[in-house]
Amino acid sequence: MIDLRSDTVTKPTSAMRKAMAAAEVGDDVYAEDPTVNLLQEKAAEIFGKEAALFCPTGSMGNQIAVKLHTKAGDEIIIEERGHIFNYEMGTPSVVAGVLVRPVRSADGSGILTWDEISSALHTNQPYYACPTGLVCLENSHNLAGGTILTKDRTDEICEKAHNLTIPVHLDGARIFNASVALNESVAELSKNCDSVQFCLSKGLGAPVGSMLLGTKDFIEEARVWRKRLGGGMRQVGVLAAAGLIAMTETPKILHLDHENAKRLTEGVANLKGVSIDAEKVATNIVIFDVSNAEITAGEICAKLKEHGILASAFGNSIRMVTHYDVSKEDIETTLKAMEKIIK
Ligand code: TLP
């Protein structure tokens, strides 16, 4: 099977499996797992943040951040296709008791401008509107097609939000993809954000795990919340060992996934009934609209499956995500199948 449904499907490499087998472990609830401690120290160093926490999932990292930055009754601002709003099972309201104020990015890029954010802020209506407690950014933006948020835009949003004493959390599930595409370090891309979450288990290829980063005090509090949410993981150095390789080695080859995504984009863009803004594809996520094709997105995915190819249908769109278990040849095979299906 050529699995383009997501970069979450990557299998650990043999180097990761060896490191997992050899990992030194301890009880991480007592903060005594040396491999987890090393992963956390290295992540903090790479991002230039004071501290980091190994979390089981990106969703948990985001949930903890939303909880710690806000108080019940606040509102958080997020782009309307953001993961925290659409795919985290309502946890901002369940865990943090906050409302989500989704904001549309007018240019369709998923990347908000400060003007768009500021028009949704509530800072001075104490008896009517919920006060804005947090701005959430996403880089790269998954559902907008892996679009990227530049350092300048992030810095501008952070500066203006901070002037109003509003913190900024960055869902950087795929920040290493953004970093490669922009040729900018993950530290620079997240420098002024109060917290960052990034996933080891997406394109970086670890089987499990995400990191939450912030100040020392924030991470100490996050450790309490991770335990409260059931994320105290004991001898989890076996997973942190894979995470260390994912974080330090895989970024060197992410550009190959981006090249494959570009080729895939060029190929599907030429098919009748497919529309995609090829210029917007900058990382490893390719989302195209098939409303003008003679068959539906769901039917196309079902036919692709008969050719041994997996992709995801969302309404009239199809998402294909490249990763290290998808080769250049797999992309050509996919394009040939697409040509047959969409005649
Ligand atoms: N994204 C998954 C699905 O949940 C949609 C995927 O296949 O792309 N932030 C962003 C931007 C994400 O894309 C994801 C996962 C998460 C957070 C959550 O990570 P996990 O799955 O580890 O909870």
PDB file of all heavy atoms in Angstrom, residues 7-37:
ATOM      1  N   ASP A   7       1.030  11.817   7.431  1.00  0.00           N
ATOM      2  CA  ASP A   7       2.410  11.496   7.808  1.00  0.00           C
ATOM      3  C   ASP A   7       2.456  10.871   9.204  1.00  0.00           C
ATOM      4  O   ASP A   7       3.526  10.549   9.729  1.00  0.00           O
ATOM      5  CB  ASP A   7       3.320  12.731   7.721  1.00  0.00           C
ATOM      6  CG  ASP A   7       2.712  13.953   8.384  1.00  0.00           C
ATOM      7  OD1 ASP A   7       1.657  13.828   9.057  1.00  0.00           O
ATOM      8  OD2 ASP A   7       3.282  15.054   8.248  1.00  0.00           O
ATOM      9  N   THR A   8       1.279  10.669   9.811  1.00  0.00           N
ATOM     10  CA  THR A   8       1.225   9.953  11.090  1.00  0.00           C
ATOM     11  C   THR A   8       1.459   8.452  10.890  1.00  0.00           C
ATOM     12  O   THR A   8       1.684   7.734  11.860  1.00  0.00           O
ATOM     13  CB  THR A   8      -0.161  10.104  11.759  1.00  0.00           C
ATOM     14  OG1 THR A   8      -1.152   9.625  10.834  1.00  0.00           O
ATOM     15  CG2 THR A   8      -0.480  11.538  12.095  1.00  0.00           C
ATOM     16  N   VAL A   9       1.408   7.988   9.650  1.00  0.00           N
ATOM     17  CA  VAL A   9       1.456   6.534   9.397  1.00  0.00           C
ATOM     18  C   VAL A   9       2.887   5.998   9.257  1.00  0.00           C
ATOM     19  O   VAL A   9       3.075   4.799   9.090  1.00  0.00           O
ATOM     20  CB  VAL A   9       0.651   6.141   8.128  1.00  0.00           C
ATOM     21  CG1 VAL A   9      -0.807   6.565   8.249  1.00  0.00           C
ATOM     22  CG2 VAL A   9       1.281   6.731   6.859  1.00  0.00           C
ATOM     23  N   THR A  10       3.872   6.882   9.332  1.00  0.00           N
ATOM     24  CA  THR A  10       5.270   6.447   9.187  1.00  0.00           C
ATOM     25  C   THR A  10       5.613   5.346  10.192  1.00  0.00           C
ATOM     26  O   THR A  10       5.211   5.401  11.355  1.00  0.00           O
ATOM     27  CB  THR A  10       6.228   7.633   9.439  1.00  0.00           C
ATOM     28  OG1 THR A  10       5.721   8.357  10.562  1.00  0.00           O
ATOM     29  CG2 THR A  10       6.348   8.531   8.235  1.00  0.00           C
ATOM     30  N   LYS A  11       6.401   4.377   9.727  1.00  0.00           N
ATOM     31  CA  LYS A  11       6.857   3.287  10.619  1.00  0.00           C
ATOM     32  C   LYS A  11       8.249   3.663  11.134  1.00  0.00           C
ATOM     33  O   LYS A  11       9.048   4.234  10.380  1.00  0.00           O
ATOM     34  CB  LYS A  11       6.960   1.969   9.835  1.00  0.00           C
ATOM     35  CG  LYS A  11       5.692   1.577   9.082  1.00  0.00           C
ATOM     36  CD  LYS A  11       4.768   0.798   9.993  1.00  0.00           C
ATOM     37  CE  LYS A  11       3.604   0.113   9.295  1.00  0.00           C
ATOM     38  NZ  LYS A  11       2.964   0.726   8.186  1.00  0.00           N
ATOM     39  N   PRO A  12       8.568   3.322  12.387  1.00  0.00           N
ATOM     40  CA  PRO A  12       9.910   3.663  12.889  1.00  0.00           C
ATOM     41  C   PRO A  12      11.011   3.013  12.048  1.00  0.00           C
ATOM     42  O   PRO A  12      10.864   1.883  11.598  1.00  0.00           O
ATOM     43  CB  PRO A  12       9.915   3.132  14.325  1.00  0.00           C
ATOM     44  CG  PRO A  12       8.676   2.321  14.494  1.00  0.00           C
ATOM     45  CD  PRO A  12       7.726   2.689  13.402  1.00  0.00           C
ATOM     46  N   THR A  13      12.084   3.754  11.834  1.00  0.00           N
ATOM     47  CA  THR A  13      13.210   3.257  11.030  1.00  0.00           C
ATOM     48  C   THR A  13      13.959   2.189  11.829  1.00  0.00           C
ATOM     49  O   THR A  13      13.764   2.069  13.050  1.00  0.00           O
ATOM     50  CB  THR A  13      14.199   4.395  10.729  1.00  0.00           C
ATOM     51  OG1 THR A  13      14.691   4.886  11.989  1.00  0.00           O
ATOM     52  CG2 THR A  13      13.539   5.526   9.964  1.00  0.00           C
ATOM     53  N   SER A  14      14.877   1.478  11.161  1.00  0.00           N
ATOM     54  CA  SER A  14      15.621   0.454  11.904  1.00  0.00           C
ATOM     55  C   SER A  14      16.525   1.116  12.945  1.00  0.00           C
ATOM     56  O   SER A  14      16.722   0.573  14.036  1.00  0.00           O
ATOM     57  CB  SER A  14      16.395  -0.471  10.965  1.00  0.00           C
ATOM     58  OG  SER A  14      17.251   0.296  10.190  1.00  0.00           O
ATOM     59  N   ALA A  15      17.050   2.319  12.655  1.00  0.00           N
ATOM     60  CA  ALA A  15      17.856   3.036  13.668  1.00  0.00           C
ATOM     61  C   ALA A  15      17.002   3.341  14.900  1.00  0.00           C
ATOM     62  O   ALA A  15      17.457   3.204  16.043  1.00  0.00           O
ATOM     63  CB  ALA A  15      18.413   4.315  13.068  1.00  0.00           C
ATOM     64  N   MET A  16      15.759   3.730  14.664  1.00  0.00           N
ATOM     65  CA  MET A  16      14.867   4.016  15.810  1.00  0.00           C
ATOM     66  C   MET A  16      14.605   2.744  16.608  1.00  0.00           C
ATOM     67  O   MET A  16      14.649   2.742  17.837  1.00  0.00           O
ATOM     68  CB  MET A  16      13.522   4.581  15.327  1.00  0.00           C
ATOM     69  CG  MET A  16      13.592   6.009  14.826  1.00  0.00           C
ATOM     70  SD  MET A  16      11.959   6.547  14.266  1.00  0.00           S
ATOM     71  CE  MET A  16      12.407   8.016  13.332  1.00  0.00           C
ATOM     72  N   ARG A  17      14.338   1.645  15.888  1.00  0.00           N
ATOM     73  CA  ARG A  17      14.030   0.384  16.583  1.00  0.00           C
ATOM     74  C   ARG A  17      15.222  -0.079  17.421  1.00  0.00           C
ATOM     75  O   ARG A  17      15.061  -0.541  18.555  1.00  0.00           O
ATOM     76  CB  ARG A  17      13.627  -0.695  15.578  1.00  0.00           C
ATOM     77  CG  ARG A  17      12.246  -0.456  14.983  1.00  0.00           C
ATOM     78  CD  ARG A  17      11.959  -1.437  13.869  1.00  0.00           C
ATOM     79  NE  ARG A  17      10.788  -1.071  13.103  1.00  0.00           N
ATOM     80  CZ  ARG A  17       9.544  -1.519  13.333  1.00  0.00           C
ATOM     81  NH1 ARG A  17       9.321  -2.353  14.324  1.00  0.00           N
ATOM     82  NH2 ARG A  17       8.547  -1.132  12.580  1.00  0.00           N
ATOM     83  N   LYS A  18      16.434   0.093  16.869  1.00  0.00           N
ATOM     84  CA  LYS A  18      17.641  -0.308  17.637  1.00  0.00           C
ATOM     85  C   LYS A  18      17.765   0.562  18.876  1.00  0.00           C
ATOM     86  O   LYS A  18      18.032   0.068  19.976  1.00  0.00           O
ATOM     87  CB  LYS A  18      18.884  -0.119  16.759  1.00  0.00           C
ATOM     88  CG  LYS A  18      19.192  -1.339  15.919  1.00  0.00           C
ATOM     89  CD  LYS A  18      20.544  -1.200  15.239  1.00  0.00           C
ATOM     90  CE  LYS A  18      20.564  -2.126  14.038  1.00  0.00           C
ATOM     91  NZ  LYS A  18      21.215  -1.570  12.869  1.00  0.00           N
ATOM     92  N   ALA A  19      17.592   1.875  18.699  1.00  0.00           N
ATOM     93  CA  ALA A  19      17.719   2.793  19.836  1.00  0.00           C
ATOM     94  C   ALA A  19      16.654   2.485  20.893  1.00  0.00           C
ATOM     95  O   ALA A  19      16.919   2.556  22.097  1.00  0.00           O
ATOM     96  CB  ALA A  19      17.590   4.235  19.351  1.00  0.00           C
ATOM     97  N   MET A  20      15.472   2.109  20.441  1.00  0.00           N
ATOM     98  CA  MET A  20      14.398   1.778  21.392  1.00  0.00           C
ATOM     99  C   MET A  20      14.772   0.548  22.216  1.00  0.00           C
ATOM    100  O   MET A  20      14.581   0.507  23.436  1.00  0.00           O
ATOM    101  CB  MET A  20      13.083   1.521  20.634  1.00  0.00           C
ATOM    102  CG  MET A  20      12.502   2.781  20.012  1.00  0.00           C
ATOM    103  SD  MET A  20      11.165   2.433  18.856  1.00  0.00           S
ATOM    104  CE  MET A  20       9.800   2.233  19.993  1.00  0.00           C
ATOM    105  N   ALA A  21      15.336  -0.447  21.523  1.00  0.00           N
ATOM    106  CA  ALA A  21      15.703  -1.679  22.224  1.00  0.00           C
ATOM    107  C   ALA A  21      16.804  -1.432  23.252  1.00  0.00           C
ATOM    108  O   ALA A  21      16.838  -2.070  24.307  1.00  0.00           O
ATOM    109  CB  ALA A  21      16.140  -2.738  21.205  1.00  0.00           C
ATOM    110  N   ALA A  22      17.687  -0.476  22.927  1.00  0.00           N
ATOM    111  CA  ALA A  22      18.844  -0.258  23.799  1.00  0.00           C
ATOM    112  C   ALA A  22      18.617   0.848  24.832  1.00  0.00           C
ATOM    113  O   ALA A  22      19.502   1.129  25.646  1.00  0.00           O
ATOM    114  CB  ALA A  22      20.052   0.100  22.920  1.00  0.00           C
ATOM    115  N   ALA A  23      17.433   1.466  24.812  1.00  0.00           N
ATOM    116  CA  ALA A  23      17.223   2.674  25.636  1.00  0.00           C
ATOM    117  C   ALA A  23      17.344   2.393  27.132  1.00  0.00           C
ATOM    118  O   ALA A  23      16.811   1.416  27.639  1.00  0.00           O
ATOM    119  CB  ALA A  23      15.837   3.253  25.344  1.00  0.00           C
ATOM    120  N   GLU A  24      18.024   3.318  27.804  1.00  0.00           N
ATOM    121  CA  GLU A  24      18.048   3.296  29.275  1.00  0.00           C
ATOM    122  C   GLU A  24      16.729   3.891  29.750  1.00  0.00           C
ATOM    123  O   GLU A  24      16.296   4.926  29.215  1.00  0.00           O
ATOM    124  CB  GLU A  24      19.145   4.236  29.750  1.00  0.00           C
ATOM    125  CG  GLU A  24      20.392   3.551  30.251  1.00  0.00           C
ATOM    126  CD  GLU A  24      21.275   4.589  30.910  1.00  0.00           C
ATOM    127  OE1 GLU A  24      21.044   4.894  32.097  1.00  0.00           O
ATOM    128  OE2 GLU A  24      22.184   5.080  30.219  1.00  0.00           O
ATOM    129  N   VAL A  25      16.094   3.264  30.722  1.00  0.00           N
ATOM    130  CA  VAL A  25      14.798   3.777  31.167  1.00  0.00           C
ATOM    131  C   VAL A  25      14.714   3.928  32.685  1.00  0.00           C
ATOM    132  O   VAL A  25      15.552   3.395  33.412  1.00  0.00           O
ATOM    133  CB  VAL A  25      13.630   2.867  30.681  1.00  0.00           C
ATOM    134  CG1 VAL A  25      13.525   2.865  29.171  1.00  0.00           C
ATOM    135  CG2 VAL A  25      13.772   1.449  31.218  1.00  0.00           C
ATOM    136  N   GLY A  26      13.708   4.659  33.118  1.00  0.00           N
ATOM    137  CA  GLY A  26      13.415   4.824  34.546  1.00  0.00           C
ATOM    138  C   GLY A  26      11.956   5.243  34.637  1.00  0.00           C
ATOM    139  O   GLY A  26      11.272   5.295  33.610  1.00  0.00           O
ATOM    140  N   ASP A  27      11.487   5.595  35.822  1.00  0.00           N
ATOM    141  CA  ASP A  27      10.076   5.978  35.938  1.00  0.00           C
ATOM    142  C   ASP A  27       9.933   7.473  35.660  1.00  0.00           C
ATOM    143  O   ASP A  27      10.346   8.311  36.461  1.00  0.00           O
ATOM    144  CB  ASP A  27       9.546   5.621  37.335  1.00  0.00           C
ATOM    145  CG  ASP A  27       8.033   5.742  37.396  1.00  0.00           C
ATOM    146  OD1 ASP A  27       7.481   6.633  36.708  1.00  0.00           O
ATOM    147  OD2 ASP A  27       7.397   4.950  38.119  1.00  0.00           O
ATOM    148  N   ASP A  28       9.312   7.775  34.533  1.00  0.00           N
ATOM    149  CA  ASP A  28       9.213   9.188  34.127  1.00  0.00           C
ATOM    150  C   ASP A  28       8.235   9.981  34.971  1.00  0.00           C
ATOM    151  O   ASP A  28       8.283  11.213  34.991  1.00  0.00           O
ATOM    152  CB  ASP A  28       8.844   9.281  32.634  1.00  0.00           C
ATOM    153  CG  ASP A  28       8.802  10.726  32.176  1.00  0.00           C
ATOM    154  OD1 ASP A  28       9.769  11.461  32.478  1.00  0.00           O
ATOM    155  OD2 ASP A  28       7.798  11.140  31.567  1.00  0.00           O
ATOM    156  N   VAL A  29       7.324   9.312  35.684  1.00  0.00           N
ATOM    157  CA  VAL A  29       6.448  10.074  36.583  1.00  0.00           C
ATOM    158  C   VAL A  29       7.285  10.665  37.724  1.00  0.00           C
ATOM    159  O   VAL A  29       7.006  11.745  38.232  1.00  0.00           O
ATOM    160  CB  VAL A  29       5.269   9.201  37.084  1.00  0.00           C
ATOM    161  CG1 VAL A  29       4.476   9.911  38.182  1.00  0.00           C
ATOM    162  CG2 VAL A  29       4.349   8.866  35.908  1.00  0.00           C
ATOM    163  N   TYR A  30       8.380   9.963  38.085  1.00  0.00           N
ATOM    164  CA  TYR A  30       9.334  10.531  39.055  1.00  0.00           C
ATOM    165  C   TYR A  30      10.399  11.383  38.365  1.00  0.00           C
ATOM    166  O   TYR A  30      11.406  11.727  38.981  1.00  0.00           O
ATOM    167  CB  TYR A  30      10.053   9.407  39.829  1.00  0.00           C
ATOM    168  CG  TYR A  30       9.151   8.482  40.627  1.00  0.00           C
ATOM    169  CD1 TYR A  30       9.415   7.120  40.679  1.00  0.00           C
ATOM    170  CD2 TYR A  30       8.081   8.978  41.351  1.00  0.00           C
ATOM    171  CE1 TYR A  30       8.608   6.256  41.417  1.00  0.00           C
ATOM    172  CE2 TYR A  30       7.261   8.121  42.090  1.00  0.00           C
ATOM    173  CZ  TYR A  30       7.527   6.764  42.117  1.00  0.00           C
ATOM    174  OH  TYR A  30       6.735   5.919  42.848  1.00  0.00           O
ATOM    175  N   ALA A  31      10.234  11.622  37.058  1.00  0.00           N
ATOM    176  CA  ALA A  31      11.227  12.357  36.249  1.00  0.00           C
ATOM    177  C   ALA A  31      12.583  11.652  36.280  1.00  0.00           C
ATOM    178  O   ALA A  31      13.629  12.286  36.262  1.00  0.00           O
ATOM    179  CB  ALA A  31      11.350  13.805  36.719  1.00  0.00           C
ATOM    180  N   GLU A  32      12.550  10.306  36.342  1.00  0.00           N
ATOM    181  CA  GLU A  32      13.788   9.527  36.482  1.00  0.00           C
ATOM    182  C   GLU A  32      14.130   8.719  35.240  1.00  0.00           C
ATOM    183  O   GLU A  32      14.921   7.777  35.317  1.00  0.00           O
ATOM    184  CB  GLU A  32      13.647   8.562  37.670  1.00  0.00           C
ATOM    185  CG  GLU A  32      13.780   9.254  39.002  1.00  0.00           C
ATOM    186  CD  GLU A  32      13.491   8.309  40.165  1.00  0.00           C
ATOM    187  OE1 GLU A  32      13.252   7.107  39.947  1.00  0.00           O
ATOM    188  OE2 GLU A  32      13.513   8.803  41.314  1.00  0.00           O
ATOM    189  N   ASP A  33      13.495   9.029  34.111  1.00  0.00           N
ATOM    190  CA  ASP A  33      13.852   8.286  32.909  1.00  0.00           C
ATOM    191  C   ASP A  33      14.935   9.081  32.170  1.00  0.00           C
ATOM    192  O   ASP A  33      14.681  10.172  31.643  1.00  0.00           O
ATOM    193  CB  ASP A  33      12.612   8.097  32.011  1.00  0.00           C
ATOM    194  CG  ASP A  33      12.930   7.182  30.842  1.00  0.00           C
ATOM    195  OD1 ASP A  33      13.878   7.501  30.090  1.00  0.00           O
ATOM    196  OD2 ASP A  33      12.258   6.142  30.690  1.00  0.00           O
ATOM    197  N   PRO A  34      16.168   8.554  32.122  1.00  0.00           N
ATOM    198  CA  PRO A  34      17.261   9.354  31.562  1.00  0.00           C
ATOM    199  C   PRO A  34      17.079   9.671  30.079  1.00  0.00           C
ATOM    200  O   PRO A  34      17.494  10.738  29.612  1.00  0.00           O
ATOM    201  CB  PRO A  34      18.511   8.471  31.771  1.00  0.00           C
ATOM    202  CG  PRO A  34      18.008   7.096  32.067  1.00  0.00           C
ATOM    203  CD  PRO A  34      16.621   7.236  32.601  1.00  0.00           C
ATOM    204  N   THR A  35      16.430   8.775  29.340  1.00  0.00           N
ATOM    205  CA  THR A  35      16.260   9.021  27.903  1.00  0.00           C
ATOM    206  C   THR A  35      15.208  10.106  27.668  1.00  0.00           C
ATOM    207  O   THR A  35      15.373  10.976  26.805  1.00  0.00           O
ATOM    208  CB  THR A  35      15.914   7.705  27.171  1.00  0.00           C
ATOM    209  OG1 THR A  35      16.824   6.695  27.627  1.00  0.00           O
ATOM    210  CG2 THR A  35      16.046   7.850  25.678  1.00  0.00           C
ATOM    211  N   VAL A  36      14.145  10.071  28.468  1.00  0.00           N
ATOM    212  CA  VAL A  36      13.134  11.135  28.368  1.00  0.00           C
ATOM    213  C   VAL A  36      13.764  12.473  28.769  1.00  0.00           C
ATOM    214  O   VAL A  36      13.575  13.496  28.095  1.00  0.00           O
ATOM    215  CB  VAL A  36      11.911  10.831  29.271  1.00  0.00           C
ATOM    216  CG1 VAL A  36      10.945  12.017  29.290  1.00  0.00           C
ATOM    217  CG2 VAL A  36      11.191   9.579  28.799  1.00  0.00           C
ATOM    218  N   ASN A  37      14.543  12.448  29.854  1.00  0.00           N
ATOM    219  CA  ASN A  37      15.163  13.701  30.307  1.00  0.00           C
ATOM    220  C   ASN A  37      16.077  14.276  29.229  1.00  0.00           C
ATOM    221  O   ASN A  37      16.086  15.483  28.976  1.00  0.00           O
ATOM    222  CB  ASN A  37      15.930  13.482  31.616  1.00  0.00           C
ATOM    223  CG  ASN A  37      14.967  13.210  32.776  1.00  0.00           C
ATOM    224  OD1 ASN A  37      13.773  13.490  32.671  1.00  0.00           O
ATOM    225  ND2 ASN A  37      15.477  12.642  33.859  1.00  0.00           N
TER     226      ASN A  37
END
